[in-house]
Amino acid sequence: MSVTAAMGFRAIGLAAGIKASGKPDVALIVNDGPKDAAAAVFTGNRFPAAPVLWSRQAVSDGAARAVIVNSGGANACTGPQGFADAHEMAEHTAAQLQEAGSDIGAGDVLVCSTGLIGELLPMDMVRSGIDAAVASINADGGQAAAEAIMTTDTVPKVSVRQGDGYVLGGMAKGAGMLAPGLATMLVFITTDAEVDSAQLDAALRYATSKTFDRIDSDGCMSTNDTVIAMANGASGVRPNAGDFTAVLTEVCADLARQLIADAEGASKDIAITVHAATSEDEAVEAARAISRSNLLKCAIHGEDPNWGRVLSALGTTAAAFKSDQVDVAINGVTVCRGGGVGDDRNLVDMSGRDVHIDVYLNAGEAEATIWTNDLTADYVHENSAYST
Amino acid sequence: MSVTAAMGFRAIGLAAGIKASGKPDVALIVNDGPKDAAAAVFTGNRFPAAPVLWSRQAVSDGAARAVIVNSGGANACTGPQGFADAHEMAEHTAAQLQEAGSDIGAGDVLVCSTGLIGELLPMDMVRSGIDAAVASINADGGQAAAEAIMTTDTVPKVSVRQGDGYVLGGMAKGAGMLAPGLATMLVFITTDAEVDSAQLDAALRYATSKTFDRIDSDGCMSTNDTVIAMANGASGVRPNAGDFTAVLTEVCADLARQLIADAEGASKDIAITVHAATSEDEAVEAARAISRSNLLKCAIHGEDPNWGRVLSALGTTAAAFKSDQVDVAINGVTVCRGGGVGDDRNLVDMSGRDVHIDVYLNAGEAEATIWTNDLTADYVHENSAYST
């Protein structure tokens, strides 16, 4: 299902030899129309990878008809040769699709890469992979595509929602470097709804701001983050903007939760909600600061309801609150009341995977949630050995 | 030596039973004059511990004659009772010193605590510890005091420097939560130089801004950070302000390096220097962002010269640079040149404990260094089990 759940999209994923493991590493999505509206959101990192530079330019006209993706190499910090390679991935994909009877131009092909930074792609393998992908792409290839974009992911992430007469489907990869302003994360969403590119762009920006921007696995921002949405109008249904945005946000929220649940080495999924803030921005700032405390993340790993580490992190922010009016509940037990000792910490049950930290600033009426993970020895091991 | 290296200071450290381990947990420093100039710098955390609130007020007149310190409990987030306890520590210390013949008032006694947040101190033990400390304090007690302020530290940290006719000595504790705007860190420095409190304050602020403010072990800021300096003029020497500041900065730098070297679970000490920035502030911002990348810290632990993670972190900052003009050297090998692949990464020898990361922004002439550590499974273990 995934990106082929909506009518008029084909996809495929396969192994081209880019990954030493021999696992799938090339994915292709093609939009067969009739329309070609597209929107995308990219990393805010100031070292954007070559495919980000290409795709940002290619999608700027609000149209796209295909996406070529490789895992096994990020094509980031690779200089002019890296950009030439990203460009060639688009050109070669368009040329092969044309040979197969399509009229897609290179300017309508978006490119994404994920993997290790600082190494050139093995372009021979990439080209062969594109050839094979064009030869085998089909209307049921969504699941194969979702598998081919994985790196350290342990499971593919897909989501499908039914709108009022149309379908939205998506896939995502990412299991580390998940952070603000997006994360090492590639997300592809397709729909057969008829929405123009301006509406699609607005809906996508809203949805990402409430979902992917609010997961923060390890505070690290990637050079390659990309979220792409394509709408082909194949259903003939032109949805109400509010309804469409809501369904898109649901798909994004579902994928975001799957990303956090598969974060590298994590044993706990932590939802940090800051309540009663004076603004949503301040609630986000406070929740994000708490989510980045390594000491707190270690404590949660040890199933220790260490509210002192929550306050320590909160105390570094500029959010409006009075230090003697802050309450903290962990899994429903108010362990900190008025900035001091609250209910018995031994009442907190942290044996499950889900941990809820609720912080009440008692300063206003806004709230926001950031999702993060615990910090574990497995995270250290996985990220110590990643490139070796 | 430590805080008793300078003439006219006495100190002691002993076990009062506050720590379950039975290790030393109360330290006392007394300044026997003739002068009583004092200056202090405190945490910027918005949940300052009770002893921070007390000491900030007590030192505001630029004078202090004693410092009472306990480990085994931070007396932070303990509300009005916590403040009453910090106050009582000062009152009880002054009363005991008066009984022993001194004329020290409670307003001249500074108070510091370190340990777990959110628990009241066992005041019976604290009082007995103060009694015993006053009874046994002596001119050679600096080393005992340095041992009594330890928490997860594995070694005491002391430093002594000889000025031109005067002596500066200090001790420090801290092995985690080391972060900007100071860190869970208590530092005590004494000198027999004759400097007034305004000069001492200026020198201390300069020294901490260049030393303790530039170590960042894990990005976490404590509620209890305090650096206290006391000058009694016992040497009769009135040093030149520049010379005094330089010697004080040396002592602070020495103690800061010892803190990083003893950071929880660390196996590598990492010096991150950002060169050729447009301002020192931007160099600090960039170096700090790099120092906080968990992914980079894991890579260093794995002896992997992963310069992509350096650039990813740098790319989240607002420092002035062009992405194709940044060079990165790790232990002297320029592994990244012009934002892309540089010399062979296999040439980098990372087998030693010290790792130097040099980032050249090639945008200006300022530079700054932040010292940090790698992220290890031991860090996770130590901080998962700390309060249980």
Side-chain angles (χ1 to χ4, degrees), chain A residues 339-383:
Chain A
V341 183
D343 297 345
D344 184 357
R345 41 176 289 146
N346 295 315
L347 298 175
V348 183
D349 177 3
M350 298 184 72
S351 57
R353 186 175 175 105
D354 286 323
V355 175
H356 296 271
I357 299 178
D358 292 279
V359 178
Y360 299 85
L361 299 185
N362 298 320
E365 294 179 356
E367 71 172 59
T369 300
I370 295 281
W371 286 269
T372 187
N373 303 103
D374 56 343
L375 182 56
T376 68
D378 286 347
Y379 174 90
V380 174
H381 292 145
E382 196 157 336
N383 287 296

Short mmCIF file of all heavy atoms in Angstrom, two decimals, chain A residues 339-383:
data_model
loop_
_atom_site.label_atom_id
_atom_site.label_comp_id
_atom_site.label_asym_id
_atom_site.label_seq_id
_atom_site.Cartn_x
_atom_site.Cartn_y
_atom_site.Cartn_z
N GLY A 339 6.89 23.40 42.19
CA GLY A 339 8.35 23.47 42.09
C GLY A 339 9.09 22.68 43.15
O GLY A 339 10.32 22.77 43.25
N GLY A 340 8.36 21.93 43.96
CA GLY A 340 8.99 21.14 45.02
C GLY A 340 8.46 19.72 45.03
O GLY A 340 7.77 19.29 44.11
N VAL A 341 8.74 19.00 46.10
CA VAL A 341 8.35 17.60 46.20
C VAL A 341 6.83 17.46 46.18
O VAL A 341 6.12 18.19 46.87
CB VAL A 341 8.90 16.99 47.51
CG1 VAL A 341 8.57 15.52 47.60
CG2 VAL A 341 10.41 17.20 47.57
N GLY A 342 6.32 16.54 45.37
CA GLY A 342 4.88 16.29 45.30
C GLY A 342 4.56 14.91 45.84
O GLY A 342 5.06 14.51 46.89
N ASP A 343 3.74 14.17 45.07
CA ASP A 343 3.31 12.86 45.54
C ASP A 343 4.48 11.86 45.50
O ASP A 343 5.49 12.06 44.84
CB ASP A 343 2.16 12.35 44.67
CG ASP A 343 0.94 13.26 44.81
OD1 ASP A 343 0.90 14.06 45.76
OD2 ASP A 343 0.05 13.18 43.93
N ASP A 344 4.30 10.76 46.20
CA ASP A 344 5.34 9.74 46.36
C ASP A 344 5.81 9.21 45.00
O ASP A 344 5.03 8.64 44.24
CB ASP A 344 4.76 8.59 47.19
CG ASP A 344 5.80 7.52 47.50
OD1 ASP A 344 6.95 7.65 47.03
OD2 ASP A 344 5.43 6.57 48.21
N ARG A 345 7.09 9.35 44.72
CA ARG A 345 7.64 8.91 43.44
C ARG A 345 7.56 7.39 43.29
O ARG A 345 7.61 6.87 42.18
CB ARG A 345 9.06 9.40 43.23
CG ARG A 345 9.93 9.32 44.49
CD ARG A 345 11.36 9.71 44.21
NE ARG A 345 12.00 8.69 43.44
CZ ARG A 345 12.92 8.89 42.53
NH1 ARG A 345 13.32 10.09 42.26
NH2 ARG A 345 13.46 7.89 41.87
N ASN A 346 7.43 6.69 44.37
CA ASN A 346 7.32 5.23 44.28
C ASN A 346 5.99 4.78 43.69
O ASN A 346 5.82 3.61 43.34
CB ASN A 346 7.53 4.60 45.66
CG ASN A 346 8.94 4.83 46.16
OD1 ASN A 346 9.90 4.66 45.41
ND2 ASN A 346 9.07 5.25 47.41
N LEU A 347 5.04 5.72 43.59
CA LEU A 347 3.74 5.37 43.00
C LEU A 347 3.81 5.32 41.46
O LEU A 347 2.89 4.84 40.81
CB LEU A 347 2.68 6.40 43.41
CG LEU A 347 2.40 6.48 44.91
CD1 LEU A 347 1.42 7.63 45.20
CD2 LEU A 347 1.82 5.15 45.39
N VAL A 348 4.89 5.85 40.88
CA VAL A 348 4.98 5.93 39.42
C VAL A 348 5.34 4.57 38.83
O VAL A 348 6.36 3.98 39.21
CB VAL A 348 6.03 6.97 38.99
CG1 VAL A 348 6.05 7.08 37.47
CG2 VAL A 348 5.74 8.33 39.62
N ASP A 349 4.52 4.10 37.91
CA ASP A 349 4.80 2.84 37.22
C ASP A 349 5.44 3.16 35.87
O ASP A 349 4.79 3.71 34.99
CB ASP A 349 3.51 2.06 37.03
CG ASP A 349 3.73 0.77 36.23
OD1 ASP A 349 4.90 0.44 35.89
OD2 ASP A 349 2.73 0.08 35.94
N MET A 350 6.71 2.84 35.70
CA MET A 350 7.40 3.14 34.45
C MET A 350 7.80 1.87 33.71
O MET A 350 8.71 1.88 32.89
CB MET A 350 8.63 4.01 34.73
CG MET A 350 8.25 5.34 35.34
SD MET A 350 9.67 6.43 35.58
CE MET A 350 10.02 6.87 33.87
N SER A 351 7.12 0.78 34.01
CA SER A 351 7.54 -0.49 33.42
C SER A 351 7.19 -0.60 31.94
O SER A 351 7.82 -1.36 31.21
CB SER A 351 6.93 -1.65 34.21
OG SER A 351 5.52 -1.50 34.23
N GLY A 352 6.20 0.16 31.47
CA GLY A 352 5.81 0.08 30.07
C GLY A 352 6.73 0.86 29.15
O GLY A 352 7.61 1.59 29.61
N ARG A 353 6.52 0.71 27.84
CA ARG A 353 7.36 1.43 26.88
C ARG A 353 6.98 2.92 26.79
O ARG A 353 7.83 3.77 26.58
CB ARG A 353 7.26 0.79 25.49
CG ARG A 353 8.23 1.43 24.50
CD ARG A 353 8.27 0.75 23.13
NE ARG A 353 9.13 1.54 22.27
CZ ARG A 353 10.37 1.20 21.91
NH1 ARG A 353 10.89 0.08 22.34
NH2 ARG A 353 11.09 1.99 21.15
N ASP A 354 5.69 3.23 26.95
CA ASP A 354 5.24 4.61 26.82
C ASP A 354 5.37 5.36 28.14
O ASP A 354 4.91 4.88 29.18
CB ASP A 354 3.78 4.65 26.36
CG ASP A 354 3.65 4.28 24.88
OD1 ASP A 354 4.54 4.67 24.10
OD2 ASP A 354 2.68 3.59 24.53
N VAL A 355 5.99 6.52 28.07
CA VAL A 355 6.13 7.37 29.26
C VAL A 355 5.54 8.74 28.94
O VAL A 355 5.83 9.32 27.89
CB VAL A 355 7.61 7.52 29.66
CG1 VAL A 355 7.76 8.50 30.82
CG2 VAL A 355 8.21 6.16 30.00
N HIS A 356 4.68 9.22 29.83
CA HIS A 356 4.07 10.54 29.64
C HIS A 356 4.59 11.47 30.72
O HIS A 356 4.43 11.20 31.90
CB HIS A 356 2.55 10.44 29.74
CG HIS A 356 1.96 9.62 28.64
ND1 HIS A 356 1.59 10.16 27.43
CD2 HIS A 356 1.72 8.29 28.55
CE1 HIS A 356 1.13 9.19 26.65
NE2 HIS A 356 1.20 8.05 27.30
N ILE A 357 5.19 12.58 30.28
CA ILE A 357 5.63 13.60 31.22
C ILE A 357 4.77 14.84 30.96
O ILE A 357 4.78 15.37 29.86
CB ILE A 357 7.12 13.93 31.04
CG1 ILE A 357 7.97 12.67 31.30
CG2 ILE A 357 7.55 15.07 31.97
CD1 ILE A 357 9.45 12.88 31.11
N ASP A 358 4.03 15.25 31.97
CA ASP A 358 3.15 16.41 31.83
C ASP A 358 3.66 17.52 32.74
O ASP A 358 3.74 17.33 33.96
CB ASP A 358 1.71 16.04 32.18
CG ASP A 358 1.12 15.10 31.14
OD1 ASP A 358 0.67 15.59 30.09
OD2 ASP A 358 1.14 13.88 31.37
N VAL A 359 3.99 18.65 32.14
CA VAL A 359 4.52 19.78 32.88
C VAL A 359 3.49 20.90 32.84
O VAL A 359 3.06 21.30 31.75
CB VAL A 359 5.85 20.25 32.25
CG1 VAL A 359 6.39 21.47 32.99
CG2 VAL A 359 6.86 19.12 32.23
N TYR A 360 3.10 21.39 33.99
CA TYR A 360 2.10 22.46 34.08
C TYR A 360 2.79 23.74 34.50
O TYR A 360 3.25 23.85 35.63
CB TYR A 360 1.00 22.06 35.09
CG TYR A 360 0.28 20.80 34.69
CD1 TYR A 360 0.80 19.55 35.02
CD2 TYR A 360 -0.88 20.85 33.92
CE1 TYR A 360 0.17 18.38 34.61
CE2 TYR A 360 -1.53 19.69 33.52
CZ TYR A 360 -0.99 18.45 33.86
OH TYR A 360 -1.61 17.31 33.45
N LEU A 361 2.90 24.69 33.55
CA LEU A 361 3.58 25.95 33.87
C LEU A 361 2.67 26.88 34.66
O LEU A 361 3.14 27.78 35.34
CB LEU A 361 4.04 26.65 32.59
CG LEU A 361 5.03 25.88 31.71
CD1 LEU A 361 5.48 26.75 30.55
CD2 LEU A 361 6.24 25.43 32.53
N ASN A 362 1.36 26.66 34.54
CA ASN A 362 0.38 27.49 35.26
C ASN A 362 0.60 28.98 35.01
O ASN A 362 0.56 29.80 35.92
CB ASN A 362 0.42 27.15 36.76
CG ASN A 362 0.03 25.70 36.98
OD1 ASN A 362 -0.90 25.19 36.33
ND2 ASN A 362 0.73 25.00 37.87
N ALA A 363 0.84 29.28 33.73
CA ALA A 363 1.10 30.67 33.33
C ALA A 363 0.15 31.13 32.23
O ALA A 363 0.05 32.32 31.97
CB ALA A 363 2.54 30.81 32.86
N GLY A 364 -0.51 30.21 31.53
CA GLY A 364 -1.37 30.59 30.42
C GLY A 364 -2.23 29.42 30.00
O GLY A 364 -2.52 28.54 30.82
N GLU A 365 -2.63 29.39 28.73
CA GLU A 365 -3.59 28.37 28.30
C GLU A 365 -3.13 27.53 27.13
O GLU A 365 -3.88 26.71 26.61
CB GLU A 365 -4.92 29.06 27.96
CG GLU A 365 -5.55 29.69 29.20
CD GLU A 365 -6.86 30.40 28.90
OE1 GLU A 365 -7.23 30.48 27.72
OE2 GLU A 365 -7.49 30.88 29.86
N ALA A 366 -1.90 27.75 26.65
CA ALA A 366 -1.42 27.01 25.48
C ALA A 366 -0.71 25.73 25.90
O ALA A 366 -0.22 25.60 27.02
CB ALA A 366 -0.47 27.88 24.67
N GLU A 367 -0.68 24.76 24.96
CA GLU A 367 0.07 23.54 25.25
C GLU A 367 0.67 22.96 23.98
O GLU A 367 0.27 23.32 22.86
CB GLU A 367 -0.82 22.51 25.95
CG GLU A 367 -1.87 21.87 25.06
CD GLU A 367 -2.56 20.71 25.79
OE1 GLU A 367 -3.15 20.95 26.85
OE2 GLU A 367 -2.49 19.58 25.29
N ALA A 368 1.65 22.10 24.14
CA ALA A 368 2.28 21.43 23.01
C ALA A 368 2.98 20.18 23.51
O ALA A 368 3.37 20.10 24.68
CB ALA A 368 3.28 22.34 22.31
N THR A 369 3.12 19.21 22.61
CA THR A 369 3.77 17.95 22.95
C THR A 369 4.98 17.71 22.04
O THR A 369 4.89 17.94 20.84
CB THR A 369 2.79 16.77 22.80
OG1 THR A 369 1.67 16.98 23.66
CG2 THR A 369 3.45 15.44 23.14
N ILE A 370 6.07 17.28 22.62
CA ILE A 370 7.24 16.80 21.86
C ILE A 370 7.42 15.33 22.20
O ILE A 370 7.34 14.93 23.36
CB ILE A 370 8.52 17.59 22.24
CG1 ILE A 370 8.39 19.06 21.84
CG2 ILE A 370 9.75 16.94 21.61
CD1 ILE A 370 8.62 19.37 20.39
N TRP A 371 7.66 14.53 21.14
CA TRP A 371 7.89 13.10 21.35
C TRP A 371 9.38 12.81 21.25
O TRP A 371 10.04 13.26 20.31
CB TRP A 371 7.14 12.28 20.30
CG TRP A 371 5.67 12.22 20.54
CD1 TRP A 371 4.99 11.28 21.25
CD2 TRP A 371 4.68 13.16 20.08
NE1 TRP A 371 3.64 11.57 21.26
CE2 TRP A 371 3.42 12.72 20.55
CE3 TRP A 371 4.74 14.33 19.33
CZ2 TRP A 371 2.24 13.40 20.28
CZ3 TRP A 371 3.56 15.02 19.06
CH2 TRP A 371 2.33 14.55 19.54
N THR A 372 9.90 12.06 22.20
CA THR A 372 11.31 11.71 22.15
C THR A 372 11.50 10.28 22.69
O THR A 372 10.52 9.56 22.88
CB THR A 372 12.16 12.72 22.94
OG1 THR A 372 13.54 12.45 22.73
CG2 THR A 372 11.87 12.68 24.43
N ASN A 373 12.75 9.90 22.87
CA ASN A 373 13.09 8.56 23.33
C ASN A 373 14.03 8.64 24.52
O ASN A 373 14.60 9.68 24.78
CB ASN A 373 13.83 7.78 22.24
CG ASN A 373 13.05 7.71 20.98
OD1 ASN A 373 13.33 8.41 20.02
ND2 ASN A 373 12.03 6.87 20.98
N ASP A 374 14.24 7.50 25.16
CA ASP A 374 15.26 7.44 26.19
C ASP A 374 16.65 7.30 25.54
O ASP A 374 16.76 7.09 24.33
CB ASP A 374 14.99 6.28 27.16
CG ASP A 374 14.87 4.93 26.47
OD1 ASP A 374 14.68 4.90 25.23
OD2 ASP A 374 14.98 3.90 27.15
N LEU A 375 17.66 7.50 26.35
CA LEU A 375 19.05 7.37 25.89
C LEU A 375 19.59 6.07 26.46
O LEU A 375 19.54 5.85 27.67
CB LEU A 375 19.87 8.56 26.37
CG LEU A 375 21.34 8.61 25.93
CD1 LEU A 375 21.48 8.57 24.42
CD2 LEU A 375 21.98 9.89 26.48
N THR A 376 20.08 5.22 25.58
CA THR A 376 20.44 3.87 26.02
C THR A 376 21.86 3.51 25.57
O THR A 376 22.43 4.15 24.68
CB THR A 376 19.49 2.84 25.38
OG1 THR A 376 19.76 2.81 23.96
CG2 THR A 376 18.03 3.21 25.60
N ALA A 377 22.39 2.49 26.19
CA ALA A 377 23.70 1.98 25.76
C ALA A 377 23.63 1.50 24.32
O ALA A 377 24.59 1.63 23.56
CB ALA A 377 24.14 0.85 26.69
N ASP A 378 22.47 0.99 23.90
CA ASP A 378 22.33 0.54 22.51
C ASP A 378 22.45 1.71 21.53
O ASP A 378 22.99 1.56 20.44
CB ASP A 378 20.97 -0.15 22.30
CG ASP A 378 20.95 -1.53 22.93
OD1 ASP A 378 22.03 -2.04 23.30
OD2 ASP A 378 19.85 -2.10 23.06
N TYR A 379 21.91 2.86 21.91
CA TYR A 379 22.07 4.06 21.06
C TYR A 379 23.55 4.37 20.87
O TYR A 379 24.01 4.65 19.77
CB TYR A 379 21.35 5.26 21.70
CG TYR A 379 21.57 6.58 20.97
CD1 TYR A 379 20.71 7.00 19.96
CD2 TYR A 379 22.65 7.41 21.29
CE1 TYR A 379 20.91 8.20 19.29
CE2 TYR A 379 22.86 8.61 20.62
CZ TYR A 379 21.99 9.00 19.63
OH TYR A 379 22.20 10.18 18.97
N VAL A 380 24.28 4.33 21.98
CA VAL A 380 25.72 4.61 21.91
C VAL A 380 26.40 3.59 21.02
O VAL A 380 27.18 3.94 20.13
CB VAL A 380 26.34 4.60 23.33
CG1 VAL A 380 27.85 4.75 23.24
CG2 VAL A 380 25.74 5.72 24.18
N HIS A 381 26.11 2.32 21.23
CA HIS A 381 26.77 1.28 20.43
C HIS A 381 26.47 1.45 18.94
O HIS A 381 27.35 1.41 18.11
CB HIS A 381 26.33 -0.12 20.89
CG HIS A 381 26.84 -0.45 22.26
ND1 HIS A 381 26.14 -1.20 23.16
CD2 HIS A 381 27.99 -0.10 22.88
CE1 HIS A 381 26.84 -1.31 24.28
NE2 HIS A 381 27.96 -0.64 24.14
N GLU A 382 25.17 1.68 18.64
CA GLU A 382 24.78 1.78 17.23
C GLU A 382 25.46 2.97 16.56
O GLU A 382 25.88 2.89 15.42
CB GLU A 382 23.25 1.92 17.15
CG GLU A 382 22.71 1.64 15.78
CD GLU A 382 21.24 1.23 15.83
OE1 GLU A 382 20.78 0.72 16.89
OE2 GLU A 382 20.57 1.41 14.83
N ASN A 383 25.59 4.06 17.30
CA ASN A 383 26.14 5.27 16.69
C ASN A 383 27.65 5.39 16.84
O ASN A 383 28.25 6.30 16.28
CB ASN A 383 25.43 6.50 17.24
CG ASN A 383 24.02 6.59 16.68
OD1 ASN A 383 23.85 6.76 15.49
ND2 ASN A 383 23.03 6.44 17.54
#
